[in-house]
Every structure is written in structure tokens, then in C-alpha cells.
Amino acid sequence: MRASTLKPHSTLTRPASVALGVSVLWFSLLVLLPLALVVVASAEDGWAVFWGTLTNTQTANAIQLTLTAAAAATAVNMVIGTLIAWVLVRDRFPGKRLVELLIDIPFALPSLVAGLVLLSLYGPNSPLGINVLGTPYSVFLAVLFVTLPFVVRTVEPVLIELDTDVEQAAESLGASRVTTFRRVVLPALTPAIAAGATLSFARGVGEFGALTLLTGNRPNVSEGAPIRIQSYLETDNTAAAAAVAVFLLLVALTAIGVFDVLSRKVTRHAD
Amino acid sequence: MGIEISGLSKHYGDFAALEDITLSVPSGGLTALLGPSGSGKTTLLRILGGQETPDAGTVHIDGRDVTRVPAQQRNIGFVFQHYAAFKHMSVAKNVAFGLEIRKLPKERIRQRVEELLQLVQLAQHGHRMPSQLSGGQRQRMALARALAIDPSVLLLDEPFGALDAKVRKELRDWLRRLHDDVHVTSVFVTHDQEEALEVADTIVVVNEGRIEQVGTPDEIYDHPATDFVFHFIGEATRLGEVLLRPHDVLITAEGEQHPVSTARAGTISRWNRVGFEIRLEVTLDEAVQQGPVHVQLTRTEAQGLGIGPGDRVQVAPHPSAELRPAGSH
């Protein structure tokens, strides 16, 4: 009965073959080939240049800052995003539809504009007296802003589908609300949170637009890796730019892999 | 002891889900809350379970006022229509959940889970995941999970509603036998009168937020207290001035001696065979009622009477039939 017990075999009909062909071609032209070319470019001047680029102090600092900021923002998103999704799905309050729409603003806004918006509240003329310009926190803030919707949007549909019966069953068995959330709700949400976190992290590593305005790009302090790539390109150092790009790509792929394994582990046998 | 419900009311906006319900559920019995959808039976069950709070009235379980006690502290087993399985836990872990919450020693939990899985005939399936079980098995798992905490009361919300007809029948018999062994005070909600008649010791018929009748299955079927119960608990048909059950209509072929002298003449206008049963409609010659008379017979009875589609017949209520005046309908 179960698919996993059957031997894998091709289910391709003629129209399905055509569809697969189109998909692969499309994916190749847009993603695989350009990526392959970047990898080739990074190796063009040899391993020494590749390694030399990554160990350059300024570059290494930029990469470290970007990865730290993306990881920190992702960690925050996993908690806050789940909380926002919970509020939007489970609670009824005036203005809910509006919040629902506003959540997507970081998606809809060109990230350069996002930088401008953040600068007005957290820049030198901040009405709150908080100025992040030129500090490492600016990178964190920029990434936090542009990645906000990911976890919310991946967790929401799962939460809508999640039967409240299951929580009530746990409570009737004596579980407190906290225990119910930890032992019953969270495992069900884990794959969605992991998916959102993956997207959030990948987007955070690649964020450029918001950084250009908000961070001030001070070398070794508030300069992110994508900005570093840009300055390599401006000086016609394609191989170095490609080396940083390939490294970020590898980290992003690793993150995707890790989150995938994690969520599979939790949901091994669940529906 | 048992469950004492007094003056219970629950409103959702303008809609009165329950109105002034007073009911006493004896300890150790298997009680059915029977009613159409929207009658308030599920609301009543959920108030007992602590999933809903009443607007007014009190609930006592084994002498303790639990009206404002949260579900976590009621020690009530609740079985949901759609199983409410913890999908990421094995069957054994599902059953162990309530015991783990109570921080029992590991060895005790293991023993108790084994016993319960034996009881619900899932001993071989403890290591499986709920998704690998059939619907009937999942519901048995849910039952074991609810029984694990030694509940003072077991509540079941349409427990067989999501199952197909054959499994439903099996599980019904099985629940009846289980209850004879375990004796925990049980209340189940159903809209299926056959289910209630077959399984329950006591039936509470609920309609529009009120209790219509409380009684044994025999009392409810043979002596319905209200027109609603009469119509809801079985089929009904009109014959002249009275309402009665379709199987209480005596029918003979025209020309035969009818045992009731006031029998009316008519023609079989519809003949419908459903398995062993024949449902037919007799259109009367006299215009004493709008629709036809519905009659239920077994196939053997119909063959013995020598009647068939289109035949001329005579019909009258069986002398021992429960009759109700048809005026109000």
C-alpha cells in the first residue's frame, strides 16, 4: 500500500516527459548554468587566489558579519514568526486583515527602499534616539526586516490545518498549555518553521539593497559580504567576487541541508 | 454519584445552544446523548469535558463541583470524532502521554501501556505511527489513551462518525463489550438513533438545546414522550388520523380477510427493495391524507402475503402499535 515499499520506477507519460524537459531546461538556463559559471570563475585564477580572497581580513570579516547577522535574524524569526503566525491564525481582533496585508510589506518593498525606511527610524536622525548606522547591528536590522515574512508565511497554513482537537486531547490528558505547545503543537510546526528558517537564512545571506543604505559599509565593522562582492566587481576582480559568492552559496546549501535533515527527523513518520 | 448537571445554559450570541439543562447521569453506565446536528448535544459534552464553559448552571462529577475547573484538572477521558492522534508519536507514546504528564515511573508506564494496548487489541502495533493504522484502529488507540489516566468519566464525541458502516458496527459492538469490562461512567454523543439504541444503557434525546426525553432504549422507542422523539427515533408514517411506525402497518391483499375491520383500501404505488427489507407506499382510495402510507415489510413477509408492485391492498395500524394523533403534523 505505502509508496515507500514499492520499487521506485518512472511514472512518466508523454506529456509528463515534455513537462519535465521544460522544467529542467528552464531551471538550467536560469539557475544551474549561471551558478556553474560562477563556480568556474571562482577557480579561474587558481586555488591560491580563491583561498587568499576568503582569508583576506576585510573579506573574512564581511563574511562573518553577514553569516552571523543572517543566523541571528533567522533565530529571531523562528520565534517571532511563529508567534505572529499564531496570533494571526488563532486570535480574532480588529485590524487583523490589515496586519495580514502588512506582513508582506518587506516582500513587496524594494529592499533599497527598506533601507531608506529603516534609516529614517534607526538612523542619525532617529526619533527614538537609536542610531545603528555604521554599526554591525545595522546588518542584523536590515536582514531582520527583509526576512520577517518567511517564517510567518510558512507556518500560517500549517497552523490553519492543525486541528485544535489534538491540543484539547492533550489538555484533557492533563497537559498544561506550555507542555501541549511543546509536545504536540511544536512538532507539527517544525517542518514549516524549518522551511521558513531556510528561506530566511538564504535571503539574509544574500541581502544587498537594504545594506547599502543602512550600514554605512565601514570595512571590518559594518560591511556585509554582498557589499564586498560588489567592491570586488567594481575593481574588476571577478575571480575574488566569484570566490565569495561560491562560499556564500556553499554555506546556504549547507543550511538548507541541515534544516531539511532536522525537520525530517522530527516528522519521520507523521502524516 | 456519577454526573449531576443542573440548570445549565450556553448561548453563542443570540443562539441558545443549551437552555436550562438538568440531568443526572448514573455512575458506571453508558449514556447516549442523541439528537440532530445543532441540537446542543456536543456543546453539552464539551462542557462536561471542560472544553467549553457554561453561561449558567453547575456540573458535579462524583460529588465535586467542576463547573469552573479547567480540562487539565478534571481527569476526564475524551475521545474525539477524528481521533485527534498525536501524529508524530508512536501508538505506545500516544497511550503513554497522560501517564508521562503525571510523571509515573517509566516501568509502571510501560506496563500500563502494554495492558491498555492489549485491551484495545493493538498489542502488536505499539511501535507503529498513527498514520499506519486504519480508522478503527486509530479510534481504539484514542480510547486506550483516554482510559490510560483512569478517568472518572469517559466522554466520546461521535466516536464512530468518521468510520465506514462496517467498521462502525464492529466498533460499536466492541465498545459495548469493553464497557461491560471496564465500567467507567461513559457518555457518548451521536446523531445515529440506531447506534444509541444498540449501545447505550440510557438515552438522552436532545433537541434545540433542551432535553426531550431520558430513558432506556426500549422506553424511548416504545413510549416516546414527545412528537419529536417519535419522529427522530425511528421512521413514522401517517395512516388516516394517526401516526405510526411503518413496520406497524398491517397490510393484506385485497379480497383477503383483514384482521382489523376499519382497514382502508388502496394501491401499492411504489415498491422499493433494500436488501432483506421491502419499503412500499400505498396510495389510499379515500382522500384522507396528502401523501401515501409508508409500509415496511421483510421480503419473506411480502412473499407470504402474495403482494407485489401495483397490487390492490388494505392497510390498518397493528392493534398493538404505538399510535400518535396526526393532527399536529
Side-chain angles (χ1 to χ4, degrees), chain B residues 10 15-19 21 33-44 158 189-191 204-212 228 232:
Chain B
K10 177 76 184 177
F15 176 72
L18 292 175
E19 275 186 287
I21 297 274
L33 296 177
L34 173 66
S37 55
S39 58
K41 57 191 190 303
T42 297
T43 306
L44 181 54
E158 300 263 9
V189 154
T190 179
H191 63 269
V204 179
V205 184
V206 186
N207 180 42
E208 292 180 344
R210 294 170 195 277
I211 291 175
E212 296 272 342
F228 173 82
F232 189 70

mmCIF file of all heavy atoms in Angstrom, chain B residues 10 15-19 21 33-44 158 189-191 204-212 228 232:
data_model
loop_
_atom_site.group_PDB
_atom_site.id
_atom_site.type_symbol
_atom_site.label_atom_id
_atom_site.label_comp_id
_atom_site.label_asym_id
_atom_site.label_seq_id
_atom_site.Cartn_x
_atom_site.Cartn_y
_atom_site.Cartn_z
ATOM 1 N N LYS B 10 -26.117 27.682 27.768
ATOM 2 C CA LYS B 10 -24.987 28.170 26.972
ATOM 3 C C LYS B 10 -25.526 28.867 25.727
ATOM 4 O O LYS B 10 -26.335 28.305 24.991
ATOM 5 C CB LYS B 10 -24.086 26.996 26.565
ATOM 6 C CG LYS B 10 -22.926 27.371 25.670
ATOM 7 C CD LYS B 10 -21.822 28.060 26.448
ATOM 8 C CE LYS B 10 -20.701 28.508 25.524
ATOM 9 N NZ LYS B 10 -19.662 29.242 26.254
ATOM 10 N N PHE B 15 -27.865 32.734 19.653
ATOM 11 C CA PHE B 15 -28.238 31.330 19.522
ATOM 12 C C PHE B 15 -28.104 30.611 20.857
ATOM 13 O O PHE B 15 -27.044 30.613 21.485
ATOM 14 C CB PHE B 15 -27.350 30.671 18.465
ATOM 15 C CG PHE B 15 -27.587 29.194 18.331
ATOM 16 C CD1 PHE B 15 -28.748 28.723 17.747
ATOM 17 C CD2 PHE B 15 -26.639 28.285 18.780
ATOM 18 C CE1 PHE B 15 -28.975 27.367 17.621
ATOM 19 C CE2 PHE B 15 -26.858 26.920 18.658
ATOM 20 C CZ PHE B 15 -28.029 26.469 18.081
ATOM 21 N N ALA B 16 -29.217 30.008 21.296
ATOM 22 C CA ALA B 16 -29.192 29.266 22.555
ATOM 23 C C ALA B 16 -28.814 27.820 22.269
ATOM 24 O O ALA B 16 -29.609 27.049 21.748
ATOM 25 C CB ALA B 16 -30.555 29.332 23.226
ATOM 26 N N ALA B 17 -27.563 27.464 22.571
ATOM 27 C CA ALA B 17 -27.122 26.096 22.325
ATOM 28 C C ALA B 17 -27.694 25.147 23.363
ATOM 29 O O ALA B 17 -28.072 24.025 23.050
ATOM 30 C CB ALA B 17 -25.594 26.033 22.322
ATOM 31 N N LEU B 18 -27.775 25.624 24.600
ATOM 32 C CA LEU B 18 -28.354 24.820 25.676
ATOM 33 C C LEU B 18 -29.226 25.715 26.533
ATOM 34 O O LEU B 18 -28.838 26.846 26.841
ATOM 35 C CB LEU B 18 -27.256 24.219 26.560
ATOM 36 C CG LEU B 18 -26.351 23.156 25.957
ATOM 37 C CD1 LEU B 18 -25.270 22.790 26.952
ATOM 38 C CD2 LEU B 18 -27.127 21.923 25.547
ATOM 39 N N GLU B 19 -30.402 25.215 26.914
ATOM 40 C CA GLU B 19 -31.282 26.024 27.748
ATOM 41 C C GLU B 19 -31.726 25.244 28.963
ATOM 42 O O GLU B 19 -32.458 24.271 28.843
ATOM 43 C CB GLU B 19 -32.489 26.476 26.932
ATOM 44 C CG GLU B 19 -32.205 27.739 26.150
ATOM 45 C CD GLU B 19 -33.455 28.254 25.467
ATOM 46 O OE1 GLU B 19 -33.877 27.622 24.480
ATOM 47 O OE2 GLU B 19 -34.002 29.262 25.930
ATOM 48 N N ILE B 21 -30.552 22.997 31.193
ATOM 49 C CA ILE B 21 -30.458 21.539 31.179
ATOM 50 C C ILE B 21 -30.226 21.031 32.595
ATOM 51 O O ILE B 21 -29.290 21.460 33.264
ATOM 52 C CB ILE B 21 -29.274 21.088 30.305
ATOM 53 C CG1 ILE B 21 -29.474 21.515 28.850
ATOM 54 C CG2 ILE B 21 -29.027 19.595 30.432
ATOM 55 C CD1 ILE B 21 -30.266 20.581 28.023
ATOM 56 N N LEU B 33 -26.019 10.720 24.310
ATOM 57 C CA LEU B 33 -26.689 11.996 24.060
ATOM 58 C C LEU B 33 -27.070 11.967 22.594
ATOM 59 O O LEU B 33 -26.215 12.037 21.713
ATOM 60 C CB LEU B 33 -25.761 13.173 24.331
ATOM 61 C CG LEU B 33 -25.275 13.376 25.771
ATOM 62 C CD1 LEU B 33 -24.309 14.551 25.820
ATOM 63 C CD2 LEU B 33 -26.456 13.619 26.686
ATOM 64 N N LEU B 34 -28.369 11.833 22.323
ATOM 65 C CA LEU B 34 -28.827 11.636 20.951
ATOM 66 C C LEU B 34 -29.611 12.853 20.492
ATOM 67 O O LEU B 34 -30.488 13.335 21.211
ATOM 68 C CB LEU B 34 -29.710 10.378 20.909
ATOM 69 C CG LEU B 34 -30.436 10.060 19.605
ATOM 70 C CD1 LEU B 34 -29.442 9.707 18.510
ATOM 71 C CD2 LEU B 34 -31.417 8.917 19.816
ATOM 72 N N GLY B 35 -29.291 13.329 19.304
ATOM 73 C CA GLY B 35 -30.040 14.455 18.773
ATOM 74 C C GLY B 35 -29.543 14.824 17.396
ATOM 75 O O GLY B 35 -28.475 14.376 16.985
ATOM 76 N N PRO B 36 -30.316 15.635 16.675
ATOM 77 C CA PRO B 36 -29.869 16.062 15.344
ATOM 78 C C PRO B 36 -28.702 17.034 15.461
ATOM 79 O O PRO B 36 -28.406 17.511 16.560
ATOM 80 C CB PRO B 36 -31.109 16.761 14.771
ATOM 81 C CG PRO B 36 -31.901 17.197 15.956
ATOM 82 C CD PRO B 36 -31.610 16.216 17.044
ATOM 83 N N SER B 37 -28.039 17.339 14.348
ATOM 84 C CA SER B 37 -26.923 18.270 14.439
ATOM 85 C C SER B 37 -27.462 19.649 14.794
ATOM 86 O O SER B 37 -28.531 20.043 14.345
ATOM 87 C CB SER B 37 -26.131 18.299 13.130
ATOM 88 O OG SER B 37 -26.980 18.596 12.075
ATOM 89 N N GLY B 38 -26.733 20.356 15.645
ATOM 90 C CA GLY B 38 -27.178 21.664 16.108
ATOM 91 C C GLY B 38 -28.124 21.591 17.288
ATOM 92 O O GLY B 38 -28.653 22.603 17.732
ATOM 93 N N SER B 39 -28.317 20.388 17.842
ATOM 94 C CA SER B 39 -29.256 20.252 18.954
ATOM 95 C C SER B 39 -28.635 20.662 20.275
ATOM 96 O O SER B 39 -29.335 20.872 21.257
ATOM 97 C CB SER B 39 -29.735 18.806 19.057
ATOM 98 O OG SER B 39 -28.633 17.944 19.233
ATOM 99 N N GLY B 40 -27.297 20.759 20.323
ATOM 100 C CA GLY B 40 -26.628 21.149 21.556
ATOM 101 C C GLY B 40 -25.962 19.992 22.267
ATOM 102 O O GLY B 40 -25.322 20.181 23.295
ATOM 103 N N LYS B 41 -26.079 18.782 21.709
ATOM 104 C CA LYS B 41 -25.532 17.610 22.402
ATOM 105 C C LYS B 41 -24.012 17.677 22.522
ATOM 106 O O LYS B 41 -23.455 17.337 23.574
ATOM 107 C CB LYS B 41 -25.957 16.316 21.689
ATOM 108 C CG LYS B 41 -25.547 16.241 20.215
ATOM 109 C CD LYS B 41 -26.226 15.068 19.538
ATOM 110 C CE LYS B 41 -25.672 14.803 18.151
ATOM 111 N NZ LYS B 41 -25.731 15.937 17.218
ATOM 112 N N THR B 42 -23.348 18.150 21.473
ATOM 113 C CA THR B 42 -21.890 18.247 21.531
ATOM 114 C C THR B 42 -21.457 19.343 22.500
ATOM 115 O O THR B 42 -20.501 19.172 23.258
ATOM 116 C CB THR B 42 -21.310 18.497 20.126
ATOM 117 O OG1 THR B 42 -21.626 17.364 19.316
ATOM 118 C CG2 THR B 42 -19.803 18.663 20.172
ATOM 119 N N THR B 43 -22.185 20.461 22.505
ATOM 120 C CA THR B 43 -21.892 21.534 23.461
ATOM 121 C C THR B 43 -21.982 21.003 24.890
ATOM 122 O O THR B 43 -21.109 21.272 25.717
ATOM 123 C CB THR B 43 -22.882 22.697 23.279
ATOM 124 O OG1 THR B 43 -22.846 23.105 21.917
ATOM 125 C CG2 THR B 43 -22.534 23.864 24.169
ATOM 126 N N LEU B 44 -23.009 20.214 25.148
ATOM 127 C CA LEU B 44 -23.186 19.640 26.484
ATOM 128 C C LEU B 44 -21.985 18.763 26.843
ATOM 129 O O LEU B 44 -21.421 18.869 27.938
ATOM 130 C CB LEU B 44 -24.490 18.834 26.524
ATOM 131 C CG LEU B 44 -24.861 18.175 27.852
ATOM 132 C CD1 LEU B 44 -24.878 19.203 28.970
ATOM 133 C CD2 LEU B 44 -26.221 17.496 27.763
ATOM 134 N N GLU B 158 -19.150 11.688 19.032
ATOM 135 C CA GLU B 158 -19.393 10.982 17.758
ATOM 136 C C GLU B 158 -18.229 10.036 17.455
ATOM 137 O O GLU B 158 -17.593 10.143 16.408
ATOM 138 C CB GLU B 158 -19.518 11.992 16.598
ATOM 139 C CG GLU B 158 -20.656 12.981 16.754
ATOM 140 C CD GLU B 158 -21.906 12.568 15.987
ATOM 141 O OE1 GLU B 158 -21.957 11.442 15.468
ATOM 142 O OE2 GLU B 158 -22.849 13.384 15.949
ATOM 143 N N VAL B 189 -21.805 11.018 22.368
ATOM 144 C CA VAL B 189 -22.696 11.835 21.563
ATOM 145 C C VAL B 189 -22.896 11.138 20.225
ATOM 146 O O VAL B 189 -21.949 10.618 19.648
ATOM 147 C CB VAL B 189 -22.063 13.230 21.347
ATOM 148 C CG1 VAL B 189 -22.569 13.858 20.076
ATOM 149 C CG2 VAL B 189 -22.348 14.129 22.533
ATOM 150 N N THR B 190 -24.125 11.090 19.770
ATOM 151 C CA THR B 190 -24.367 10.525 18.442
ATOM 152 C C THR B 190 -25.619 11.143 17.835
ATOM 153 O O THR B 190 -26.497 11.628 18.546
ATOM 154 C CB THR B 190 -24.507 8.991 18.504
ATOM 155 O OG1 THR B 190 -24.766 8.506 17.192
ATOM 156 C CG2 THR B 190 -25.645 8.560 19.423
ATOM 157 N N HIS B 191 -25.672 11.165 16.507
ATOM 158 C CA HIS B 191 -26.900 11.603 15.845
ATOM 159 C C HIS B 191 -27.595 10.385 15.228
ATOM 160 O O HIS B 191 -28.620 10.496 14.593
ATOM 161 C CB HIS B 191 -26.597 12.636 14.758
ATOM 162 C CG HIS B 191 -25.750 12.083 13.666
ATOM 163 N ND1 HIS B 191 -24.381 12.141 13.682
ATOM 164 C CD2 HIS B 191 -26.071 11.413 12.542
ATOM 165 C CE1 HIS B 191 -23.900 11.550 12.612
ATOM 166 N NE2 HIS B 191 -24.888 11.086 11.907
ATOM 167 N N VAL B 204 -30.409 9.961 26.223
ATOM 168 C CA VAL B 204 -30.920 11.300 26.485
ATOM 169 C C VAL B 204 -31.171 11.939 25.120
ATOM 170 O O VAL B 204 -30.226 12.150 24.364
ATOM 171 C CB VAL B 204 -29.901 12.139 27.281
ATOM 172 C CG1 VAL B 204 -30.432 13.538 27.522
ATOM 173 C CG2 VAL B 204 -29.536 11.448 28.593
ATOM 174 N N VAL B 205 -32.429 12.179 24.790
ATOM 175 C CA VAL B 205 -32.731 12.777 23.488
ATOM 176 C C VAL B 205 -32.713 14.295 23.642
ATOM 177 O O VAL B 205 -33.428 14.853 24.483
ATOM 178 C CB VAL B 205 -34.097 12.312 22.945
ATOM 179 C CG1 VAL B 205 -34.318 12.878 21.543
ATOM 180 C CG2 VAL B 205 -34.174 10.793 22.916
ATOM 181 N N VAL B 206 -31.852 14.944 22.858
ATOM 182 C CA VAL B 206 -31.678 16.387 22.956
ATOM 183 C C VAL B 206 -32.169 17.026 21.664
ATOM 184 O O VAL B 206 -31.923 16.514 20.579
ATOM 185 C CB VAL B 206 -30.184 16.748 23.159
ATOM 186 C CG1 VAL B 206 -30.019 18.233 23.408
ATOM 187 C CG2 VAL B 206 -29.592 15.953 24.303
ATOM 188 N N ASN B 207 -32.889 18.136 21.805
ATOM 189 C CA ASN B 207 -33.349 18.856 20.621
ATOM 190 C C ASN B 207 -33.432 20.340 20.941
ATOM 191 O O ASN B 207 -33.985 20.724 21.962
ATOM 192 C CB ASN B 207 -34.718 18.330 20.189
ATOM 193 C CG ASN B 207 -35.242 19.055 18.968
ATOM 194 O OD1 ASN B 207 -34.489 19.316 18.035
ATOM 195 N ND2 ASN B 207 -36.519 19.374 18.983
ATOM 196 N N GLU B 208 -32.895 21.157 20.058
ATOM 197 C CA GLU B 208 -32.930 22.618 20.209
ATOM 198 C C GLU B 208 -32.534 23.073 21.611
ATOM 199 O O GLU B 208 -33.194 23.913 22.219
ATOM 200 C CB GLU B 208 -34.311 23.151 19.831
ATOM 201 C CG GLU B 208 -34.559 22.985 18.349
ATOM 202 C CD GLU B 208 -35.921 23.500 17.912
ATOM 203 O OE1 GLU B 208 -36.791 23.712 18.786
ATOM 204 O OE2 GLU B 208 -36.096 23.689 16.707
ATOM 205 N N GLY B 209 -31.454 22.484 22.116
ATOM 206 C CA GLY B 209 -30.909 22.924 23.394
ATOM 207 C C GLY B 209 -31.679 22.459 24.615
ATOM 208 O O GLY B 209 -31.394 22.895 25.715
ATOM 209 N N ARG B 210 -32.670 21.582 24.416
ATOM 210 C CA ARG B 210 -33.453 21.079 25.550
ATOM 211 C C ARG B 210 -33.462 19.557 25.533
ATOM 212 O O ARG B 210 -33.268 18.939 24.489
ATOM 213 C CB ARG B 210 -34.908 21.563 25.454
ATOM 214 C CG ARG B 210 -35.061 23.043 25.605
ATOM 215 C CD ARG B 210 -36.495 23.412 25.246
ATOM 216 N NE ARG B 210 -36.584 24.848 25.035
ATOM 217 C CZ ARG B 210 -36.719 25.723 26.029
ATOM 218 N NH1 ARG B 210 -36.770 25.316 27.264
ATOM 219 N NH2 ARG B 210 -36.791 27.012 25.758
ATOM 220 N N ILE B 211 -33.726 18.983 26.711
ATOM 221 C CA ILE B 211 -33.850 17.531 26.793
ATOM 222 C C ILE B 211 -35.289 17.149 26.507
ATOM 223 O O ILE B 211 -36.217 17.648 27.151
ATOM 224 C CB ILE B 211 -33.410 17.025 28.181
ATOM 225 C CG1 ILE B 211 -31.902 17.225 28.331
ATOM 226 C CG2 ILE B 211 -33.777 15.560 28.351
ATOM 227 C CD1 ILE B 211 -31.365 16.875 29.690
ATOM 228 N N GLU B 212 -35.497 16.274 25.518
ATOM 229 C CA GLU B 212 -36.853 15.846 25.172
ATOM 230 C C GLU B 212 -37.273 14.666 26.020
ATOM 231 O O GLU B 212 -38.424 14.579 26.450
ATOM 232 C CB GLU B 212 -36.910 15.445 23.690
ATOM 233 C CG GLU B 212 -36.645 16.591 22.722
ATOM 234 C CD GLU B 212 -37.919 17.362 22.371
ATOM 235 O OE1 GLU B 212 -39.022 16.824 22.587
ATOM 236 O OE2 GLU B 212 -37.798 18.495 21.873
ATOM 237 N N PHE B 228 -41.434 14.933 18.769
ATOM 238 C CA PHE B 228 -40.071 14.993 18.245
ATOM 239 C C PHE B 228 -39.366 13.650 18.403
ATOM 240 O O PHE B 228 -38.776 13.131 17.476
ATOM 241 C CB PHE B 228 -39.252 16.089 18.931
ATOM 242 C CG PHE B 228 -37.807 16.051 18.509
ATOM 243 C CD1 PHE B 228 -37.409 16.647 17.327
ATOM 244 C CD2 PHE B 228 -36.873 15.349 19.259
ATOM 245 C CE1 PHE B 228 -36.097 16.559 16.900
ATOM 246 C CE2 PHE B 228 -35.560 15.261 18.848
ATOM 247 C CZ PHE B 228 -35.170 15.869 17.669
ATOM 248 N N PHE B 232 -37.911 11.286 15.597
ATOM 249 C CA PHE B 232 -36.455 11.209 15.492
ATOM 250 C C PHE B 232 -35.929 9.788 15.691
ATOM 251 O O PHE B 232 -34.964 9.374 15.079
ATOM 252 C CB PHE B 232 -35.802 12.156 16.505
ATOM 253 C CG PHE B 232 -34.332 12.285 16.305
ATOM 254 C CD1 PHE B 232 -33.825 12.962 15.198
ATOM 255 C CD2 PHE B 232 -33.442 11.698 17.174
ATOM 256 C CE1 PHE B 232 -32.477 13.065 14.995
ATOM 257 C CE2 PHE B 232 -32.078 11.796 16.979
ATOM 258 C CZ PHE B 232 -31.598 12.478 15.881
#
